[in-house]
Amino acid sequence: MNIAWTPIPITGATLTESPRYAHHQWVWVDIPGKTLYRCQTAMAANARQIECTPLPDEVACVLPTAQPDVWLLLGRNDGYTLHWNTNKPTVQAHHMRLPYDPSSHRFNDGQLGPDGAVWISSLVDARQPNTGGLYRVEQNHAELKVGGLVVGNGLAFSPDGTQLWLADTRQRCIWRFEFNPDTGALGNRRLVAQYTTGNERPDGATIGPDGHYWVAILEGARLDRYTMTGERLPAVAVPLKRPTMPCFGGEHGQWLLVTGLAHTTEHANAQGFEGAALAIGQLTTTQIQA
């Protein structure tokens, strides 16, 4: 699948993550930069205006709500609600009881589940031991659902709501679970993929408009794709050496935004994308339906 990509340079950004498209706007974060970005235009090469909002925490997960100007944020030290209903955005802390020690762990990748709860993984700063987990958050209470993770990532739900997909970037694997959308119960854990080539490993993921699981392969410069039965499909090359998460947007899901780690000499992006923190491409109708 060939996609024409456009670089999106963001000065100073080193780790862009959690791209979302909702209410006709794009949102993403730079985790170490403690900054949230929003774009309310088509974000084509010459038609974008990107707003920046400083954050009080290392926010790794951004989730939309039913209200266009209200978003949920999950960071190292708390969960937050961000309001864009004034000229100066406001961030309100939830005062959560965290399920981990924030001096060594933080929330990482999350989604709103078909059961109406927030599902969020955590990561271990030192990348050992495997004391991270996947949590179900409801009314500011985090319930551990899957333990033994190092860098929880790649969280996504199948289009029919009966599967939960989960990756561990450090352990370099992807699983899928049976999921009960009414109760939030998990079952029948299966290993979908175990990566062994070089230092390639699965990062953030989404379900594409084609109904498949799309996962960013860190240090692999590509997005891998899997059917809901676990069959691997042809990969999609991206111009970022270390992509972190894909996101589809637009009226028909025709735009594909990919976040990533900054270009370095050791981990070089494609030519023309050296200063890009993100890349965006447009899919054809045929590619969307493939």
Side-chain angles (χ1 to χ4, degrees):
M1 182 181 294
N2 294 318
I3 298 175
W5 296 97
T6 298
I8 301 177
I10 304 290
T11 302
T14 59
L15 171 54
T16 56
E17 263 282 14
S18 194
R20 309 291 181 190
Y21 182 83
H23 309 299
H24 307 288
Q25 55 190 328
W26 297 93
V27 173
W28 67 91
V29 292
D30 175 26
I31 299 175
K34 298 182 180 180
T35 303
L36 184 142
Y37 299 90
R38 179 172 71 156
C39 181
Q40 300 185 79
T41 69
M43 208 154 66
N46 299 313
R48 63 174 182 267
Q49 294 180 340
I50 299 174
E51 307 168 22
C52 303
T53 299
L55 300 174
D57 197 355
E58 294 173 277
V59 169
C61 177
V62 185
L63 297 172
T65 71
Q67 302 176 62
D69 291 326
V70 179
W71 291 67
L72 298 179
L73 315 176
L74 287 147
R76 177 182 295 275
N77 298 299
D78 209 343
Y80 307 86
T81 301
L82 181 142
H83 298 265
W84 267 304
N85 54 2
T86 64
N87 291 330
K88 184 178 181 181
T90 58
V91 179
Q92 179 182 1
H94 292 179
H95 305 294
M96 288 182 63
R97 178 177 292 181
L98 298 172
Y100 55 74
D101 179 355
S103 69
S104 57
H105 296 64
R106 68 162 167 80
F107 281 135
N108 193 39
D109 181 47
Q111 294 282 351
L112 181 64
D115 58 339
V118 171
W119 289 74
I120 182 81
S121 64
S122 65
L123 62 73
V124 185
D125 290 331
R127 303 302 190 261
Q128 62 175 344
N130 59 336
T131 49
L134 174 67
Y135 302 90
R136 182 180 186 270
V137 179
E138 197 168 29
Q139 297 180 345
N140 283 334
H141 171 71
E143 177 187 2
L144 180 65
K145 287 294 189 177
V146 179
L149 303 182
V150 183
V151 179
N153 229 324
L155 183 61
F157 293 91
S158 62
D160 66 1
T162 64
Q163 293 183 32
L164 179 150
W165 287 62
L166 177 68
D168 188 316
T169 304
R170 190 67 174 188
Q171 298 186 65
R172 304 172 69 179
C173 53
I174 301 171
W175 303 280
R176 61 187 176 99
F177 299 75
E178 291 180 357
F179 183 79
N180 187 318
D182 296 320
T183 65
L186 295 176
N188 197 19
R189 177 175 180 167
R190 296 182 181 181
L191 181 68
V192 174
Q194 178 71 63
Y195 287 79
T196 59
T197 303
N199 202 32
E200 297 176 354
R201 49 207 190 274
D203 207 283
T206 191
I207 301 297
D210 54 6
H212 303 318
Y213 179 81
W214 294 58
V215 59
I217 303 302
L218 199 66
E219 296 192 31
R222 71 178 192 272
L223 306 174
D224 281 353
R225 299 185 300 146
Y226 295 88
T227 68
M228 290 297 100
T229 58
E231 177 189 358
R232 189 166 176 173
L233 300 172
V236 176
V238 297
L240 307 178
K241 176 63 176 178
R242 295 182 291 174
T244 56
M245 188 172 180
C247 175
F248 288 90
E251 184 179 358
H252 304 291
Q254 72 272 31
W255 290 99
L256 175 56
L257 180 68
V258 180
T259 53
L261 280 153
H263 164 96
T264 67
T265 302
E266 181 181 2
H267 304 291
N269 291 342
Q271 185 176 2
F273 289 78
E274 294 86 352
L278 308 91
I280 191 166
Q282 187 173 16
L283 280 68
T284 66
T285 301
T286 301
Q287 289 172 329
I288 291 173
Q289 296 173 348

